[in-house]
Amino acid sequence: MAILAVFIPVLMLGVVLALGRYEDFLLPGDQDPVNVEPAGTRPISSRGAAGTPAPSP
């Protein structure tokens, strides 16, 4: 029983690592991370978020 308690987690770790490698093989990521825009950024426009602001009195 003690042998199973040692080998089952080790085998499960091997399976998880193997699946991770298999996923990287099937779904390769972007090879050029330098030109990737960070998530959550918005493009900068010449107009504000609400368009042209009203003139101040």
mmCIF file of all heavy atoms in Angstrom:
data_model
loop_
_atom_site.group_PDB
_atom_site.id
_atom_site.type_symbol
_atom_site.label_atom_id
_atom_site.label_comp_id
_atom_site.label_asym_id
_atom_site.label_seq_id
_atom_site.Cartn_x
_atom_site.Cartn_y
_atom_site.Cartn_z
ATOM 1 N N MET A 1 0.812 -1.195 0.000
ATOM 2 C CA MET A 1 0.000 0.000 0.000
ATOM 3 C C MET A 1 0.858 1.262 0.000
ATOM 4 O O MET A 1 0.495 2.250 -0.629
ATOM 5 C CB MET A 1 -0.896 0.018 1.240
ATOM 6 C CG MET A 1 -2.276 -0.513 1.058
ATOM 7 S SD MET A 1 -3.028 -0.045 -0.468
ATOM 8 C CE MET A 1 -4.609 -0.650 -0.193
ATOM 9 N N ALA A 2 1.946 1.233 0.736
ATOM 10 C CA ALA A 2 2.817 2.409 0.793
ATOM 11 C C ALA A 2 3.449 2.676 -0.566
ATOM 12 O O ALA A 2 3.693 3.833 -0.930
ATOM 13 C CB ALA A 2 3.894 2.213 1.850
ATOM 14 N N ILE A 3 3.683 1.628 -1.306
ATOM 15 C CA ILE A 3 4.268 1.800 -2.645
ATOM 16 C C ILE A 3 3.281 2.541 -3.548
ATOM 17 O O ILE A 3 3.676 3.422 -4.312
ATOM 18 C CB ILE A 3 4.652 0.429 -3.239
ATOM 19 C CG1 ILE A 3 5.788 -0.189 -2.419
ATOM 20 C CG2 ILE A 3 5.063 0.561 -4.691
ATOM 21 C CD1 ILE A 3 6.146 -1.593 -2.814
ATOM 22 N N LEU A 4 1.999 2.203 -3.465
ATOM 23 C CA LEU A 4 0.992 2.909 -4.251
ATOM 24 C C LEU A 4 0.903 4.375 -3.843
ATOM 25 O O LEU A 4 0.731 5.246 -4.701
ATOM 26 C CB LEU A 4 -0.370 2.240 -4.072
ATOM 27 C CG LEU A 4 -0.571 0.902 -4.782
ATOM 28 C CD1 LEU A 4 -1.940 0.343 -4.459
ATOM 29 C CD2 LEU A 4 -0.392 1.060 -6.262
ATOM 30 N N ALA A 5 1.029 4.661 -2.562
ATOM 31 C CA ALA A 5 0.954 6.036 -2.093
ATOM 32 C C ALA A 5 2.113 6.871 -2.632
ATOM 33 O O ALA A 5 2.010 8.087 -2.738
ATOM 34 C CB ALA A 5 0.950 6.061 -0.572
ATOM 35 N N VAL A 6 3.204 6.243 -2.974
ATOM 36 C CA VAL A 6 4.353 6.957 -3.526
ATOM 37 C C VAL A 6 4.276 7.035 -5.045
ATOM 38 O O VAL A 6 4.512 8.094 -5.637
ATOM 39 C CB VAL A 6 5.674 6.277 -3.093
ATOM 40 C CG1 VAL A 6 6.862 6.878 -3.816
ATOM 41 C CG2 VAL A 6 5.850 6.389 -1.580
ATOM 42 N N PHE A 7 3.928 5.940 -5.683
ATOM 43 C CA PHE A 7 3.991 5.889 -7.143
ATOM 44 C C PHE A 7 2.818 6.573 -7.842
ATOM 45 O O PHE A 7 2.990 7.125 -8.922
ATOM 46 C CB PHE A 7 4.106 4.437 -7.634
ATOM 47 C CG PHE A 7 5.482 3.889 -7.475
ATOM 48 C CD1 PHE A 7 5.695 2.735 -6.739
ATOM 49 C CD2 PHE A 7 6.572 4.520 -8.042
ATOM 50 C CE1 PHE A 7 6.968 2.219 -6.591
ATOM 51 C CE2 PHE A 7 7.846 4.020 -7.905
ATOM 52 C CZ PHE A 7 8.044 2.859 -7.162
ATOM 53 N N ILE A 8 1.635 6.565 -7.270
ATOM 54 C CA ILE A 8 0.482 7.171 -7.936
ATOM 55 C C ILE A 8 0.667 8.684 -8.113
ATOM 56 O O ILE A 8 0.465 9.185 -9.225
ATOM 57 C CB ILE A 8 -0.828 6.805 -7.200
ATOM 58 C CG1 ILE A 8 -1.159 5.340 -7.457
ATOM 59 C CG2 ILE A 8 -1.968 7.705 -7.656
ATOM 60 C CD1 ILE A 8 -2.393 4.844 -6.745
ATOM 61 N N PRO A 9 1.074 9.455 -7.100
ATOM 62 C CA PRO A 9 1.297 10.892 -7.345
ATOM 63 C C PRO A 9 2.423 11.157 -8.343
ATOM 64 O O PRO A 9 2.339 12.088 -9.154
ATOM 65 C CB PRO A 9 1.653 11.454 -5.969
ATOM 66 C CG PRO A 9 1.057 10.495 -5.017
ATOM 67 C CD PRO A 9 1.146 9.165 -5.665
ATOM 68 N N VAL A 10 3.464 10.357 -8.315
ATOM 69 C CA VAL A 10 4.566 10.533 -9.264
ATOM 70 C C VAL A 10 4.080 10.257 -10.685
ATOM 71 O O VAL A 10 4.399 11.011 -11.615
ATOM 72 C CB VAL A 10 5.758 9.624 -8.887
ATOM 73 C CG1 VAL A 10 6.826 9.657 -9.969
ATOM 74 C CG2 VAL A 10 6.338 10.042 -7.549
ATOM 75 N N LEU A 11 3.298 9.219 -10.860
ATOM 76 C CA LEU A 11 2.753 8.916 -12.185
ATOM 77 C C LEU A 11 1.776 9.996 -12.645
ATOM 78 O O LEU A 11 1.772 10.375 -13.823
ATOM 79 C CB LEU A 11 2.060 7.551 -12.168
ATOM 80 C CG LEU A 11 2.998 6.346 -12.039
ATOM 81 C CD1 LEU A 11 2.184 5.064 -11.890
ATOM 82 C CD2 LEU A 11 3.927 6.254 -13.226
ATOM 83 N N MET A 12 0.969 10.514 -11.730
ATOM 84 C CA MET A 12 0.039 11.581 -12.099
ATOM 85 C C MET A 12 0.792 12.848 -12.501
ATOM 86 O O MET A 12 0.400 13.531 -13.457
ATOM 87 C CB MET A 12 -0.910 11.874 -10.938
ATOM 88 C CG MET A 12 -1.921 10.765 -10.695
ATOM 89 S SD MET A 12 -2.905 10.953 -9.203
ATOM 90 C CE MET A 12 -3.565 12.564 -9.379
ATOM 91 N N LEU A 13 1.884 13.165 -11.814
ATOM 92 C CA LEU A 13 2.704 14.314 -12.186
ATOM 93 C C LEU A 13 3.290 14.113 -13.576
ATOM 94 O O LEU A 13 3.306 15.039 -14.394
ATOM 95 C CB LEU A 13 3.818 14.517 -11.164
ATOM 96 C CG LEU A 13 4.817 15.628 -11.473
ATOM 97 C CD1 LEU A 13 4.111 16.979 -11.487
ATOM 98 C CD2 LEU A 13 5.948 15.619 -10.475
ATOM 99 N N GLY A 14 3.751 12.903 -13.873
ATOM 100 C CA GLY A 14 4.280 12.611 -15.204
ATOM 101 C C GLY A 14 3.223 12.783 -16.277
ATOM 102 O O GLY A 14 3.499 13.308 -17.362
ATOM 103 N N VAL A 15 2.003 12.372 -16.003
ATOM 104 C CA VAL A 15 0.916 12.509 -16.980
ATOM 105 C C VAL A 15 0.600 13.982 -17.213
ATOM 106 O O VAL A 15 0.421 14.414 -18.357
ATOM 107 C CB VAL A 15 -0.340 11.736 -16.494
ATOM 108 C CG1 VAL A 15 -1.557 12.101 -17.329
ATOM 109 C CG2 VAL A 15 -0.086 10.242 -16.560
ATOM 110 N N VAL A 16 0.548 14.772 -16.149
ATOM 111 C CA VAL A 16 0.244 16.198 -16.292
ATOM 112 C C VAL A 16 1.346 16.891 -17.087
ATOM 113 O O VAL A 16 1.067 17.706 -17.980
ATOM 114 C CB VAL A 16 0.053 16.849 -14.904
ATOM 115 C CG1 VAL A 16 0.038 18.359 -15.004
ATOM 116 C CG2 VAL A 16 -1.223 16.351 -14.274
ATOM 117 N N LEU A 17 2.598 16.587 -16.817
ATOM 118 C CA LEU A 17 3.702 17.180 -17.565
ATOM 119 C C LEU A 17 3.683 16.751 -19.029
ATOM 120 O O LEU A 17 3.939 17.557 -19.929
ATOM 121 C CB LEU A 17 5.035 16.818 -16.914
ATOM 122 C CG LEU A 17 5.285 17.437 -15.541
ATOM 123 C CD1 LEU A 17 6.580 16.909 -14.949
ATOM 124 C CD2 LEU A 17 5.301 18.935 -15.622
ATOM 125 N N ALA A 18 3.366 15.492 -19.268
ATOM 126 C CA ALA A 18 3.296 15.009 -20.647
ATOM 127 C C ALA A 18 2.161 15.687 -21.409
ATOM 128 O O ALA A 18 2.316 16.040 -22.581
ATOM 129 C CB ALA A 18 3.124 13.492 -20.656
ATOM 130 N N LEU A 19 1.015 15.892 -20.758
ATOM 131 C CA LEU A 19 -0.094 16.574 -21.414
ATOM 132 C C LEU A 19 0.250 18.034 -21.699
ATOM 133 O O LEU A 19 -0.171 18.583 -22.716
ATOM 134 C CB LEU A 19 -1.357 16.477 -20.560
ATOM 135 C CG LEU A 19 -2.038 15.109 -20.550
ATOM 136 C CD1 LEU A 19 -3.183 15.112 -19.549
ATOM 137 C CD2 LEU A 19 -2.523 14.736 -21.919
ATOM 138 N N GLY A 20 1.000 18.667 -20.817
ATOM 139 C CA GLY A 20 1.430 20.036 -21.057
ATOM 140 C C GLY A 20 2.340 20.124 -22.273
ATOM 141 O O GLY A 20 2.208 21.037 -23.095
ATOM 142 N N ARG A 21 3.256 19.186 -22.403
ATOM 143 C CA ARG A 21 4.136 19.169 -23.572
ATOM 144 C C ARG A 21 3.331 18.885 -24.847
ATOM 145 O O ARG A 21 3.580 19.466 -25.891
ATOM 146 C CB ARG A 21 5.225 18.106 -23.399
ATOM 147 C CG ARG A 21 6.155 18.332 -22.251
ATOM 148 C CD ARG A 21 7.171 19.362 -22.574
ATOM 149 N NE ARG A 21 8.013 18.847 -23.632
ATOM 150 C CZ ARG A 21 9.179 19.332 -23.963
ATOM 151 N NH1 ARG A 21 9.649 20.361 -23.309
ATOM 152 N NH2 ARG A 21 9.881 18.818 -24.935
ATOM 153 N N TYR A 22 2.352 17.993 -24.744
ATOM 154 C CA TYR A 22 1.521 17.653 -25.894
ATOM 155 C C TYR A 22 0.702 18.868 -26.324
ATOM 156 O O TYR A 22 0.546 19.141 -27.510
ATOM 157 C CB TYR A 22 0.603 16.481 -25.516
ATOM 158 C CG TYR A 22 -0.260 15.978 -26.634
ATOM 159 C CD1 TYR A 22 0.306 15.358 -27.745
ATOM 160 C CD2 TYR A 22 -1.640 16.111 -26.578
ATOM 161 C CE1 TYR A 22 -0.486 14.887 -28.775
ATOM 162 C CE2 TYR A 22 -2.440 15.644 -27.602
ATOM 163 C CZ TYR A 22 -1.862 15.032 -28.692
ATOM 164 O OH TYR A 22 -2.655 14.578 -29.711
ATOM 165 N N GLU A 23 0.195 19.646 -25.352
ATOM 166 C CA GLU A 23 -0.566 20.842 -25.669
ATOM 167 C C GLU A 23 0.329 21.880 -26.348
ATOM 168 O O GLU A 23 -0.086 22.530 -27.303
ATOM 169 C CB GLU A 23 -1.155 21.428 -24.392
ATOM 170 C CG GLU A 23 -1.944 22.695 -24.621
ATOM 171 C CD GLU A 23 -2.418 23.328 -23.330
ATOM 172 O OE1 GLU A 23 -1.970 22.917 -22.251
ATOM 173 O OE2 GLU A 23 -3.238 24.245 -23.413
ATOM 174 N N ASP A 24 1.549 22.058 -25.864
ATOM 175 C CA ASP A 24 2.473 22.988 -26.505
ATOM 176 C C ASP A 24 2.791 22.560 -27.922
ATOM 177 O O ASP A 24 2.997 23.394 -28.800
ATOM 178 C CB ASP A 24 3.769 23.096 -25.705
ATOM 179 C CG ASP A 24 3.571 23.817 -24.387
ATOM 180 O OD1 ASP A 24 2.559 24.545 -24.266
ATOM 181 O OD2 ASP A 24 4.422 23.656 -23.501
ATOM 182 N N PHE A 25 2.828 21.266 -28.155
ATOM 183 C CA PHE A 25 3.092 20.761 -29.499
ATOM 184 C C PHE A 25 1.910 21.019 -30.424
ATOM 185 O O PHE A 25 2.082 21.417 -31.575
ATOM 186 C CB PHE A 25 3.395 19.260 -29.431
ATOM 187 C CG PHE A 25 3.607 18.624 -30.776
ATOM 188 C CD1 PHE A 25 4.763 18.887 -31.492
ATOM 189 C CD2 PHE A 25 2.661 17.779 -31.309
ATOM 190 C CE1 PHE A 25 4.965 18.306 -32.730
ATOM 191 C CE2 PHE A 25 2.848 17.201 -32.544
ATOM 192 C CZ PHE A 25 4.008 17.455 -33.259
ATOM 193 N N LEU A 26 0.681 20.826 -29.920
ATOM 194 C CA LEU A 26 -0.513 21.013 -30.746
ATOM 195 C C LEU A 26 -0.856 22.487 -30.948
ATOM 196 O O LEU A 26 -1.295 22.882 -32.023
ATOM 197 C CB LEU A 26 -1.720 20.319 -30.098
ATOM 198 C CG LEU A 26 -1.763 18.813 -30.213
ATOM 199 C CD1 LEU A 26 -3.020 18.294 -29.527
ATOM 200 C CD2 LEU A 26 -1.736 18.357 -31.644
ATOM 201 N N LEU A 27 -0.689 23.303 -29.908
ATOM 202 C CA LEU A 27 -1.071 24.712 -29.959
ATOM 203 C C LEU A 27 0.155 25.587 -29.697
ATOM 204 O O LEU A 27 0.296 26.143 -28.610
ATOM 205 C CB LEU A 27 -2.143 25.002 -28.904
ATOM 206 C CG LEU A 27 -3.389 24.137 -28.947
ATOM 207 C CD1 LEU A 27 -4.241 24.373 -27.721
ATOM 208 C CD2 LEU A 27 -4.165 24.434 -30.211
ATOM 209 N N PRO A 28 1.025 25.720 -30.667
ATOM 210 C CA PRO A 28 2.215 26.545 -30.422
ATOM 211 C C PRO A 28 1.820 28.004 -30.229
ATOM 212 O O PRO A 28 0.932 28.521 -30.898
ATOM 213 C CB PRO A 28 3.065 26.357 -31.675
ATOM 214 C CG PRO A 28 2.097 25.941 -32.731
ATOM 215 C CD PRO A 28 0.997 25.195 -32.029
ATOM 216 N N GLY A 29 2.466 28.664 -29.299
ATOM 217 C CA GLY A 29 2.183 30.062 -29.015
ATOM 218 C C GLY A 29 2.851 30.968 -30.025
ATOM 219 O O GLY A 29 3.498 30.529 -30.975
ATOM 220 N N ASP A 30 2.695 32.262 -29.816
ATOM 221 C CA ASP A 30 3.318 33.252 -30.683
ATOM 222 C C ASP A 30 4.829 33.187 -30.483
ATOM 223 O O ASP A 30 5.325 33.228 -29.365
ATOM 224 C CB ASP A 30 2.787 34.640 -30.345
ATOM 225 C CG ASP A 30 3.255 35.698 -31.332
ATOM 226 O OD1 ASP A 30 3.742 35.322 -32.418
ATOM 227 O OD2 ASP A 30 3.124 36.885 -31.017
ATOM 228 N N GLN A 31 5.580 33.102 -31.562
ATOM 229 C CA GLN A 31 7.027 32.969 -31.477
ATOM 230 C C GLN A 31 7.729 34.304 -31.308
ATOM 231 O O GLN A 31 8.897 34.344 -31.026
ATOM 232 C CB GLN A 31 7.547 32.258 -32.738
ATOM 233 C CG GLN A 31 6.990 30.866 -32.926
ATOM 234 C CD GLN A 31 7.348 29.934 -31.780
ATOM 235 O OE1 GLN A 31 8.421 30.021 -31.212
ATOM 236 N NE2 GLN A 31 6.415 29.060 -31.424
ATOM 237 N N ASP A 32 7.047 35.443 -31.497
ATOM 238 C CA ASP A 32 7.657 36.761 -31.391
ATOM 239 C C ASP A 32 6.910 37.574 -30.336
ATOM 240 O O ASP A 32 6.051 38.374 -30.656
ATOM 241 C CB ASP A 32 7.616 37.465 -32.744
ATOM 242 C CG ASP A 32 8.438 38.742 -32.750
ATOM 243 O OD1 ASP A 32 9.234 38.931 -31.818
ATOM 244 O OD2 ASP A 32 8.281 39.544 -33.682
ATOM 245 N N PRO A 33 7.241 37.376 -29.044
ATOM 246 C CA PRO A 33 6.495 38.075 -27.999
ATOM 247 C C PRO A 33 6.852 39.551 -27.875
ATOM 248 O O PRO A 33 6.256 40.265 -27.085
ATOM 249 C CB PRO A 33 6.884 37.315 -26.732
ATOM 250 C CG PRO A 33 8.224 36.752 -27.028
ATOM 251 C CD PRO A 33 8.216 36.455 -28.512
ATOM 252 N N VAL A 34 7.815 40.050 -28.660
ATOM 253 C CA VAL A 34 8.213 41.450 -28.565
ATOM 254 C C VAL A 34 7.123 42.364 -29.097
ATOM 255 O O VAL A 34 6.841 43.417 -28.532
ATOM 256 C CB VAL A 34 9.537 41.671 -29.334
ATOM 257 C CG1 VAL A 34 9.905 43.137 -29.354
ATOM 258 C CG2 VAL A 34 10.647 40.837 -28.725
ATOM 259 N N ASN A 35 6.453 41.982 -30.175
ATOM 260 C CA ASN A 35 5.458 42.833 -30.818
ATOM 261 C C ASN A 35 4.037 42.583 -30.337
ATOM 262 O O ASN A 35 3.095 43.075 -30.941
ATOM 263 C CB ASN A 35 5.521 42.641 -32.338
ATOM 264 C CG ASN A 35 6.841 43.116 -32.900
ATOM 265 O OD1 ASN A 35 7.443 44.048 -32.384
ATOM 266 N ND2 ASN A 35 7.303 42.462 -33.951
ATOM 267 N N VAL A 36 3.875 41.848 -29.265
ATOM 268 C CA VAL A 36 2.542 41.536 -28.762
ATOM 269 C C VAL A 36 2.092 42.674 -27.856
ATOM 270 O O VAL A 36 2.806 43.109 -26.962
ATOM 271 C CB VAL A 36 2.549 40.203 -27.989
ATOM 272 C CG1 VAL A 36 1.197 39.939 -27.360
ATOM 273 C CG2 VAL A 36 2.937 39.079 -28.921
ATOM 274 N N GLU A 37 0.873 43.166 -28.089
ATOM 275 C CA GLU A 37 0.313 44.236 -27.271
ATOM 276 C C GLU A 37 -0.176 43.639 -25.961
ATOM 277 O O GLU A 37 -0.866 42.624 -25.958
ATOM 278 C CB GLU A 37 -0.838 44.883 -28.019
ATOM 279 C CG GLU A 37 -1.418 46.084 -27.326
ATOM 280 C CD GLU A 37 -2.490 46.732 -28.168
ATOM 281 O OE1 GLU A 37 -2.388 46.702 -29.405
ATOM 282 O OE2 GLU A 37 -3.437 47.256 -27.575
ATOM 283 N N PRO A 38 0.156 44.240 -24.830
ATOM 284 C CA PRO A 38 -0.303 43.699 -23.547
ATOM 285 C C PRO A 38 -1.822 43.708 -23.456
ATOM 286 O O PRO A 38 -2.478 44.575 -24.027
ATOM 287 C CB PRO A 38 0.302 44.648 -22.509
ATOM 288 C CG PRO A 38 1.334 45.438 -23.218
ATOM 289 C CD PRO A 38 0.997 45.409 -24.677
ATOM 290 N N ALA A 39 -2.347 42.779 -22.724
ATOM 291 C CA ALA A 39 -3.798 42.686 -22.568
ATOM 292 C C ALA A 39 -4.316 43.866 -21.766
ATOM 293 O O ALA A 39 -3.674 44.337 -20.832
ATOM 294 C CB ALA A 39 -4.163 41.385 -21.860
ATOM 295 N N GLY A 40 -5.470 44.358 -22.136
ATOM 296 C CA GLY A 40 -6.110 45.431 -21.408
ATOM 297 C C GLY A 40 -5.741 46.822 -21.877
ATOM 298 O O GLY A 40 -6.202 47.796 -21.301
ATOM 299 N N THR A 41 -4.922 46.935 -22.898
ATOM 300 C CA THR A 41 -4.575 48.270 -23.389
ATOM 301 C C THR A 41 -5.514 48.640 -24.525
ATOM 302 O O THR A 41 -5.969 47.795 -25.280
ATOM 303 C CB THR A 41 -3.122 48.323 -23.884
ATOM 304 O OG1 THR A 41 -2.963 47.375 -24.927
ATOM 305 C CG2 THR A 41 -2.154 48.036 -22.767
ATOM 306 N N ARG A 42 -5.780 49.914 -24.648
ATOM 307 C CA ARG A 42 -6.658 50.399 -25.703
ATOM 308 C C ARG A 42 -5.837 51.202 -26.698
ATOM 309 O O ARG A 42 -4.871 51.867 -26.312
ATOM 310 C CB ARG A 42 -7.746 51.290 -25.125
ATOM 311 C CG ARG A 42 -8.677 50.545 -24.211
ATOM 312 C CD ARG A 42 -9.753 51.462 -23.719
ATOM 313 N NE ARG A 42 -10.599 50.749 -22.790
ATOM 314 C CZ ARG A 42 -11.592 51.302 -22.148
ATOM 315 N NH1 ARG A 42 -11.857 52.572 -22.312
ATOM 316 N NH2 ARG A 42 -12.325 50.600 -21.325
ATOM 317 N N PRO A 43 -6.218 51.179 -27.941
ATOM 318 C CA PRO A 43 -5.488 52.004 -28.906
ATOM 319 C C PRO A 43 -5.716 53.486 -28.620
ATOM 320 O O PRO A 43 -6.806 53.909 -28.210
ATOM 321 C CB PRO A 43 -6.080 51.600 -30.253
ATOM 322 C CG PRO A 43 -7.364 50.933 -29.941
ATOM 323 C CD PRO A 43 -7.255 50.372 -28.555
ATOM 324 N N ILE A 44 -4.685 54.270 -28.814
ATOM 325 C CA ILE A 44 -4.771 55.710 -28.572
ATOM 326 C C ILE A 44 -5.338 56.374 -29.815
ATOM 327 O O ILE A 44 -4.855 56.165 -30.924
ATOM 328 C CB ILE A 44 -3.381 56.284 -28.239
ATOM 329 C CG1 ILE A 44 -2.844 55.614 -26.979
ATOM 330 C CG2 ILE A 44 -3.450 57.790 -28.065
ATOM 331 C CD1 ILE A 44 -1.416 55.960 -26.680
ATOM 332 N N SER A 45 -6.389 57.170 -29.643
ATOM 333 C CA SER A 45 -6.990 57.865 -30.769
ATOM 334 C C SER A 45 -6.776 59.365 -30.587
ATOM 335 O O SER A 45 -6.500 59.859 -29.497
ATOM 336 C CB SER A 45 -8.481 57.550 -30.876
ATOM 337 O OG SER A 45 -9.151 58.031 -29.736
ATOM 338 N N SER A 46 -6.931 60.116 -31.654
ATOM 339 C CA SER A 46 -6.744 61.554 -31.587
ATOM 340 C C SER A 46 -7.912 62.223 -30.859
ATOM 341 O O SER A 46 -7.759 63.300 -30.294
ATOM 342 C CB SER A 46 -6.596 62.137 -32.991
ATOM 343 O OG SER A 46 -7.748 61.848 -33.751
ATOM 344 N N ARG A 47 -9.071 61.598 -30.907
ATOM 345 C CA ARG A 47 -10.240 62.133 -30.203
ATOM 346 C C ARG A 47 -10.326 61.488 -28.836
ATOM 347 O O ARG A 47 -9.889 60.376 -28.624
ATOM 348 C CB ARG A 47 -11.504 61.843 -31.007
ATOM 349 C CG ARG A 47 -11.473 62.498 -32.382
ATOM 350 C CD ARG A 47 -12.632 62.062 -33.210
ATOM 351 N NE ARG A 47 -13.882 62.508 -32.587
ATOM 352 C CZ ARG A 47 -15.067 62.113 -32.995
ATOM 353 N NH1 ARG A 47 -15.178 61.249 -33.975
ATOM 354 N NH2 ARG A 47 -16.152 62.558 -32.404
ATOM 355 N N GLY A 48 -10.923 62.185 -27.891
ATOM 356 C CA GLY A 48 -11.084 61.644 -26.549
ATOM 357 C C GLY A 48 -12.107 60.529 -26.523
ATOM 358 O O GLY A 48 -12.711 60.177 -27.537
ATOM 359 N N ALA A 49 -12.335 60.003 -25.351
ATOM 360 C CA ALA A 49 -13.276 58.908 -25.223
ATOM 361 C C ALA A 49 -14.697 59.346 -25.566
ATOM 362 O O ALA A 49 -15.489 58.571 -26.072
ATOM 363 C CB ALA A 49 -13.230 58.358 -23.809
ATOM 364 N N ALA A 50 -15.037 60.633 -25.305
ATOM 365 C CA ALA A 50 -16.386 61.121 -25.572
ATOM 366 C C ALA A 50 -16.439 61.973 -26.828
ATOM 367 O O ALA A 50 -17.407 62.663 -27.067
ATOM 368 C CB ALA A 50 -16.892 61.912 -24.370
ATOM 369 N N GLY A 51 -15.398 61.970 -27.627
ATOM 370 C CA GLY A 51 -15.380 62.790 -28.823
ATOM 371 C C GLY A 51 -14.783 64.159 -28.528
ATOM 372 O O GLY A 51 -13.951 64.322 -27.641
ATOM 373 N N THR A 52 -15.227 65.156 -29.251
ATOM 374 C CA THR A 52 -14.714 66.508 -29.052
ATOM 375 C C THR A 52 -15.355 67.116 -27.806
ATOM 376 O O THR A 52 -16.581 67.156 -27.692
ATOM 377 C CB THR A 52 -15.044 67.372 -30.285
ATOM 378 O OG1 THR A 52 -14.559 66.711 -31.433
ATOM 379 C CG2 THR A 52 -14.406 68.735 -30.153
ATOM 380 N N PRO A 53 -14.547 67.609 -26.867
ATOM 381 C CA PRO A 53 -15.139 68.170 -25.647
ATOM 382 C C PRO A 53 -15.811 69.508 -25.939
ATOM 383 O O PRO A 53 -15.469 70.217 -26.864
ATOM 384 C CB PRO A 53 -13.946 68.346 -24.713
ATOM 385 C CG PRO A 53 -12.773 68.420 -25.629
ATOM 386 C CD PRO A 53 -13.113 67.586 -26.836
ATOM 387 N N ALA A 54 -16.786 69.830 -25.110
ATOM 388 C CA ALA A 54 -17.498 71.101 -25.255
ATOM 389 C C ALA A 54 -16.575 72.257 -24.847
ATOM 390 O O ALA A 54 -15.745 72.092 -23.961
ATOM 391 C CB ALA A 54 -18.751 71.095 -24.398
ATOM 392 N N PRO A 55 -16.709 73.410 -25.485
ATOM 393 C CA PRO A 55 -15.876 74.546 -25.098
ATOM 394 C C PRO A 55 -16.240 75.037 -23.707
ATOM 395 O O PRO A 55 -17.408 74.998 -23.303
ATOM 396 C CB PRO A 55 -16.176 75.606 -26.155
ATOM 397 C CG PRO A 55 -17.492 75.218 -26.710
ATOM 398 C CD PRO A 55 -17.605 73.735 -26.584
ATOM 399 N N SER A 56 -15.264 75.482 -22.947
ATOM 400 C CA SER A 56 -15.539 75.989 -21.611
ATOM 401 C C SER A 56 -16.065 77.417 -21.689
ATOM 402 O O SER A 56 -15.652 78.177 -22.554
ATOM 403 C CB SER A 56 -14.283 75.912 -20.751
ATOM 404 O OG SER A 56 -13.217 76.519 -21.414
ATOM 405 N N PRO A 57 -16.988 77.799 -20.823
ATOM 406 C CA PRO A 57 -17.626 79.148 -20.888
ATOM 407 C C PRO A 57 -16.688 80.275 -20.512
ATOM 408 O O PRO A 57 -15.763 80.286 -19.902
ATOM 409 C CB PRO A 57 -18.779 79.072 -19.919
ATOM 410 C CG PRO A 57 -18.608 77.840 -19.123
ATOM 411 C CD PRO A 57 -17.590 76.994 -19.803
#
